[in-house]
Amino acid sequence: METPKYEYQLYLRYNLDPATQLGFGGGWIKGAGDVVNHQSLNDKLDTRYLRLSAAHFFTAAFQTELSLGRDLSVEQGFKQDSFLSVRLGYLF
């Protein structure tokens, strides 16, 4: 059995203009530990991270977003010294 996983986030966003946004924030992921025969395996997640983001709407239906960040602390798993995410979105 696995315990619930929770993620808490806090972000501040600034609109440069109606189509462009900048953001800064962070989060905390906690939980998702395994339990076998009512005994915890002490493998719960506990990760804290920071992120910077920029998003732009080229049209009402087409958006792009760039996120940069890093993990501050990790209890289980791999620590990401750098994080880069690029998203393209198109609404039909």
Side-chain angles (χ1 to χ4, degrees), residues 28 46 50 52 60 75 77 81 91:
W28 180 29
D46 190 2
L50 287 177
L52 293 170
E75 288 297 320
D81 287 330
L91 302 172

Side-chain angles (χ1 to χ4, degrees), residues 1 8 11 16 18 28-29 33-35 41 43-45 47-48 50 59 65-67 83-85 89:
M1 181 175 87
Y8 307 96
Y11 280 88
L16 290 175
W28 180 29
I29 300 171
D34 292 310
V35 177
L41 298 181
D43 62 349
K44 290 183 180 178
L45 299 174
T47 301
R48 289 169 181 83
L50 287 177
T59 67
E65 180 182 0
L66 173 71
S67 295
F83 171 84
L84 172 65
S85 172

Side-chain angles (χ1 to χ4, degrees), residues 24-84:
F24 171 77
W28 180 29
I29 300 171
K30 187 152 182 77
D34 292 310
V35 177
V36 177
N37 293 330
H38 305 287
Q39 296 292 319
S40 173
L41 298 181
N42 295 320
D43 62 349
K44 290 183 180 178
L45 299 174
D46 190 2
T47 301
R48 289 169 181 83
Y49 59 87
L50 287 177
R51 299 283 188 266
L52 293 170
S53 67
H56 184 74
F57 283 90
F58 293 98
T59 67
F62 181 61
Q63 177 193 17
T64 184
E65 180 182 0
L66 173 71
S67 295
L68 301 167
R70 69 177 296 149
D71 289 340
L72 300 176
S73 66
V74 176
E75 288 297 320
Q76 290 291 331
F78 298 100
K79 184 175 182 181
Q80 294 182 350
D81 287 330
S82 61
F83 171 84
L84 172 65

